[in-house]
Amino acid sequence: MSHDDHVTLESRDLTKTYHSTDPPTQVINGIDMSVRKGEFLVVMGASGSGKSTLLYSISGMDRPTSGNVFLEGRDLTSLSDTEMSRVRLTRMGFIFQQAYFLNNLNIRDNILLPALKAAPKERETAIARVDALLERFGIAHVGRHGITQVSGGQLQRASICRALACEPSILFADEPTGALNSSMTIEVMDALTDVHREGTTLVMVTHDPACAARADRVIYLRDGLLVDGRELGTWSEEQAMQREDALLAWLRKMGF
Amino acid sequence: MKDSLYFRSAYNDLMKNKGVNVALVVVLVLSSFLMATGSMVMERLVGSVNQLFDEAKPPHFLQMHKGDDDPDALARFAAAHPEIDAWLVEEMLGFDSAAIAWHRPATGGSGDLADSLIDNLFVTQNEEFDFLIDETGAIPRPSQGEVYVPVAYQQRFDLQAGDRLAIRTDNGFQDLRVQGFVRDAQMASSLSSATRFLVSGADFRELGRAGGGEPEIIAEYRLADPSLAADFQRAYESDEALPKNGQAVTFQMIRIINAFSDGLVAVALVFVSLLLIAIALLNLRFVIRGTLEDEVREIGAMKAIGLPHKAIARLYLAKYRVMTFLACIVGGLLAVIATNLLTRGIQANYAEAPPSVTAILVPVLALGLVYLFVVAICRGVLRGVKKIQVVNALVHGSMLDERQTARRAERQARRVRKTSLASYRGGSISRRLAFLDLRAEGGQWVLIPIVFFLATVLMTLPMNLLSTFESPRFVTYMGAPESDLRADLQFSDDIDAVREDVLSSMQGDDRLTDVRAFANVLYETQGEGWEILRAEVGDYSGDTVEFLQGERPEPGQIALSVLNANKYQLSTGDKLTIRQGGESTAIVVSGIYQDVTRGGYTAKMQGEATTGAAGYVIYANAADGADPAAVAADYSERFPVATVIPMREYVQQTLSYVTGAFRSAAVLSFVFGVGVAVLITSLFLKLRLTRERRKMGVLSALGFSIGEIIAQVRGRTILSVAVGTLFGLVFAATAGESLVGLFISLAGLGISNLAFLPYPLLVYVAFPLILIAAGYFGAVVLTARLRSADKSGWLKG
C-alpha cells in the first residue's frame, strides 16, 4: 500500500466487539485515524466511549475484531503473537494509570527488564541508557528501592523511564495521571512533554482537559465512533491557560 | 430467613466459581468415598466373621497332628481340665490337589484342583461344635455319595452343585456328587494352608479303606472361658503324651488371621483416604485464603455496615458446609456400591451378617467425622475475617494492617535490593524472571510441592510394599536361603525314607546344585512352662540366610526368629535351654533373623537330622540353563508325597493373601495419586492465573509473548512439581520405609526390620515422570486458554 511518510500509526475501519457479554458489546465501531510522526495525540471522550479499547487495539495489546492497524506501513493485524510482542518490545512503550511494576524486582531492574530482553547482547549499552534515564527523570537515588518504597509520582516517572528504555518510536499512555494528585500530575506531564519535544510520538488517553491541552491534537470519541478532532498546535507554558479554555469550550460542545 | 440468606449466598458462590468448586468437591468426594468404604469393609468383615463364628462355633484351641496318637492321653487330659466345655478329635483324610478331579455331566466340562497348593482334608460333620456351614447358614449333613466343597474352591474353579468329584485312591476313583458348598470358620481365611471337604460317615470310612489319603487329626477344645486359651495351650503343650505333630492354633489367632488378610484392604483404603483428606484440606485452605484476599473490599464493606465478623465468616462457611455435606452424601452412596463389590469375597467365605445398626452407624460416623473435621479447618481459616481492618480493606484492598504492610514492604525491599538483572549473566531473562517469582512467592506455590509430595508417598509406599512382598528376595524374610527350588516333605510314616530318596535324587541330578536339606525338629523350651520350639536343623554354611543380628549358628548354637527372640527376651550371646527326649541342654543364641513362616516362631540349628523330624525341607539351585519349574514338575511327579515348587512360586503362593491386598492398594493409590495430581494442579493454576493477570498484562505490554508468559507459568509449575515429587521419593525411601516397617512389625508377621525391594525403574523413574507429566498436563490445559485472551483485560485486574 502507499504510505504517507509523515504518518507513523494508522487505523482503518477498526472495530472491536466483546462477545463475553450477552448481547455482544461493540465498543469500537469502524474508526479511521492516523498519528503523525512526532505528534502528541490525545484521545478523549466520556466513560465507556471506547478510548482505552482504541488505545489497546492500535497498540497490538488486543486484536481488533475487524479492520487494520499499520505501524510505519506494517500491518500489525497480520502479525503473529510473537512478532507483535517483538514490535511492542522494540517499537512501543506503555504507561498505565496505575504504575504496574513487577514487585519482585527493584525499580532499576523493572526499567532494565525490557531493555535487556530487547538486546541481550548489548547489555552494557542498555544499562548505561537506563541509568541515564533514571538520572534524567530524577529517580536514580531510588533505583534499588522496592516499588512500595517510593511515591506515586516517582513510580509514574519510573513508568516513563521503562516505556523509553528501548527507545520506542511511539509511546502509549492510558490515563497516566489518573491516580495522581495535582502536583504529581504536573510532574508527570512535564516529563511526557519533554519526551514528546525530543521527537517521540505520543498517544494518550485522558479525562483531564489540563493534561489534554498539552497535546498537538485532540480527537473525541462517542459510542465507539470518532466524532471530531481539533488541532491545538505546539504547547507552550505561556499559552497554557488560553489553550485549556479553548479546549474546554470545544469539549463542552462535544458534550463532555 | 437468615438460613435462606446463607444458603442463597452459598449457592451463588458455588455457581460463580464452578471449575474450582467442582475440583474441590471431587477431592472431597474421593476422600469421603474411601473413608466410608474403608469403614464399611471393616464393619462388614467383623460382622461376617462374627456371624460365621456364631454359626460354626469354632474351637478355642486346636492342635493338628499327623502320625500315631494316644486317644487315652487325650481323654486323661480332658478329664483333668475342668475348664474344658467340650472337646473332640476330628479325623481327617488329606488328599493331594492333583488327586481330585471334577466333571460336569450337563456340559461335559472337567478339570482338577492341581493348581491349589493347600491341603485338602476330607471330614465328616462334627456333632457338638466346629461345624461346616452351608450358604444358608445351616449345618449340612451329607448323605452317602454327596460332598460339600469349600466355597474358596467354588470361586476358584467355578464349581457348581451337581458337578461330580472324583478322588483318586489306591483302589481307583471314588465318585461323589457336589451337593453344595461350605464355609469353614477355622480355615476360611486365604491365609489358611488347608481346607475341608464334607462327606458322609460312610464315604469317609470308604475313603480311609481305599487308601491314598493321609490320615490326620485335629484335637479341638471349647473352653468355658475363651480368654484362657493361651494358658490352656501351655498346659496342652507341656503334656508330653499328647499329640502335637502339627500346628497349634488358638481362637484368638483364628480371629486375627481371618481379620488380617481381608482387613489389610480396609486399612489401605483408610490410609489413602487420610492422605486425600490432607490434600483436600490444603486446597480448601488455599482457596479460602485466596477468596478472602480477592473479596477483601466486600468484607470491608460488610464490616463497615456493622456486620459482626462471625456473621461474615458464616456467610463464607455456608458454601464449604454445603460442599462438604454434598461430598459426604455422594461419597457415602458410592461407597455402598463399592463395598458390595469389595465384600463379595468376604461374604462368600464367611457369612452374610444380618442387617444391624452398626452397619449404618459406622460409615455414618466415619463420614460425620470427615464432615466435622473439614468444616472445623475451614472455620479456622475463616478466622482471618476477624483480623481484616475496614479502612485497609476498603482503601488499599489489603487484608493486612499497617504494621503487617510495612513489614511486608520491608521484606520485599530487602529481597529486591539483593537481586540485580544488570549483573545477571545467565541465559534467558524469561527464565530468570520465573525463578525470581518462584523464590519470592514460594509460600503461595507451596501447595503444589506438598500435594505432589503426598501423591508420591501415596503411590510409592503401596507399590514398594507390593514389590517387596513379590520379590524372590523376600525369602530372606521367610528364614529361607535364596535358592531356586523348594521341596517340602510333610510328616508321614516313611518320611525319613522319602527324604533319603528325594535328597539322593537331587544330589545326583545335574540340573541342580547346592542341595541342602533341613529337618523340622520339635524341641521344648522353658517359657511359662515347657513349650514347643520348632527348629530347622541343617547346613547353614555359606551365609545362606540373612541375619538381622549376630550370625549363623555353629554346631551347639541356635539362631532364633525375631518373634521367638522377643517372646523369650533373648539376644545374641544369651543362653537358651532346650529339651528333647527328656534331656535338657543350654545353647547359645548365635543370631536373630526375620521369618514370616509358621506364624513367625521358628529357630535354626546347624547339623544334620535324618530321623525323628516332623518334616523336611530341601532347597536347591538350578544349574545354568535348567528351568526350575520343569525340574519341580519332574520331582512332583516322581515323588507325589513331596511338594516341589520353584522358590518364586512358593513365595507368591505363601504370600498371596498379602500381595493381593497390596496390589489393590497399589493400583488404587496410583489412579488416585495421578488423578488428584492433575486435578489439584489445574485447580491451583486456575486460581493462580487469576491472581497473576495483572503481572501477565504488564509482561505482555513490555513485549513478552504469550508463549514466553505461558512457559514461565509452566516452568514454575514443573519446578514445584519436581521438588514435591523428589521429596516424596526421598521420604518414601527413608522415613516412609521406616513407618511401613513399623506397621508391618506391629502386625506381628515376624518382620521387625523391613527394607523395601522396589522396582527401581518403576518407582524411581516411571512414577516421577508420570507425576511430572500429570502436573505438566494440568499446566498445559490451564495455560492454553491464555492464548486467546485480550491482554488489556488482564491489566484491568
Side-chain angles (χ1 to χ4, degrees), chain A residues 50-86:
Chain A
K51 309 183 294 288
S52 293
T53 306
L54 175 68
L55 187 87
Y56 290 120
S57 294
I58 58 176
S59 63
M61 278 286 278
D62 294 346
R63 296 234 173 235
T65 308
S66 65
N68 301 86
V69 178
F70 298 95
L71 178 70
E72 290 154 356
R74 192 176 179 194
D75 186 356
L76 298 185
T77 51
S78 67
L79 299 183
S80 70
D81 179 70
T82 310
E83 289 167 329
M84 190 59 239
S85 303
R86 189 74 199 163

Side-chain angles (χ1 to χ4, degrees), chain B residues 297-362:
Chain B
R297 286 180 204 273
E298 286 90 325
I299 295 170
M302 284 190 266
K303 280 193 153 185
I305 59 170
L307 273 182
H309 67 86
K310 276 187 182 164
I312 302 171
R314 263 206 300 279
L315 212 57
Y316 284 93
L317 191 62
K319 173 176 127 180
Y320 299 105
R321 275 180 190 277
V322 171
M323 278 165 65
T324 315
F325 185 73
L326 276 179
C328 284
I329 298 283
V330 176
L333 290 177
L334 289 176
V336 172
I337 301 168
T339 306
N340 283 335
L341 292 175
L342 280 172
T343 53
R344 258 189 212 157
I346 293 175
Q347 300 204 355
N349 278 334
Y350 303 99
E352 198 162 331
S356 66
V357 185
T358 50
I360 299 164
L361 213 60
V362 167

Side-chain angles (χ1 to χ4, degrees), chain B residues 593-610:
Chain B
Y593 58 93
Q594 307 187 77
D595 192 354
V596 297
T597 60
R598 294 178 187 280
Y601 293 96
T602 62
K604 294 187 186 299
M605 290 168 76
Q606 176 73 19
E608 189 178 17
T610 52

Side-chain angles (χ1 to χ4, degrees), chain B residues 642-653:
Chain B
T643 310
V644 189
I645 52 171
M647 203 61 179
R648 177 180 276 274
E649 201 179 319
Y650 168 68
V651 175
Q652 274 171 6
Q653 294 245 3

Side-chain angles (χ1 to χ4, degrees), chain B residues 571-598:
Chain B
S571 56
T572 309
D574 291 348
K575 283 199 165 180
L576 174 72
T577 306
I578 56 166
R579 185 168 85 168
Q580 195 184 30
E583 200 178 305
S584 300
T585 38
I587 50 173
V588 174
V589 177
S590 70
I592 292 165
Y593 58 93
Q594 307 187 77
D595 192 354
V596 297
T597 60
R598 294 178 187 280

Side-chain angles (χ1 to χ4, degrees), chain B residues 276-297:
Chain B
L276 279 182
I277 290 174
I279 290 174
L281 289 176
L282 280 169
N283 271 298
L284 277 168
R285 189 172 169 276
F286 173 75
V287 172
I288 296 174
R289 288 178 72 99
T291 311
L292 293 186
E293 277 175 38
D294 289 345
E295 299 181 5
V296 65
R297 286 180 204 273

Side-chain angles (χ1 to χ4, degrees), chain A residues 75-122:
Chain A
D75 186 356
L76 298 185
T77 51
S78 67
L79 299 183
S80 70
D81 179 70
T82 310
E83 289 167 329
M84 190 59 239
S85 303
R86 189 74 199 163
V87 169
R88 278 200 301 276
L89 178 67
T90 55
R91 314 295 301 149
M92 299 173 172
F94 287 87
I95 304 158
F96 308 104
Q97 179 176 12
Q98 304 286 342
Y100 299 136
F101 280 93
L102 304 180
N103 51 13
N104 298 324
L105 298 178
N106 60 36
I107 298 278
R108 182 170 177 251
D109 280 352
N110 262 293
I111 299 168
L112 205 48
L113 180 65
L116 289 179
K117 177 158 173 55
K121 288 187 180 140
E122 295 161 29

Side-chain angles (χ1 to χ4, degrees), chain B residues 207-224:
Chain B
L207 278 170
R209 266 198 302 278
E214 192 71 44
E216 274 185 54
I217 60 160
I218 313 181
E220 303 184 3
Y221 299 89
R222 290 279 291 184
L223 304 178

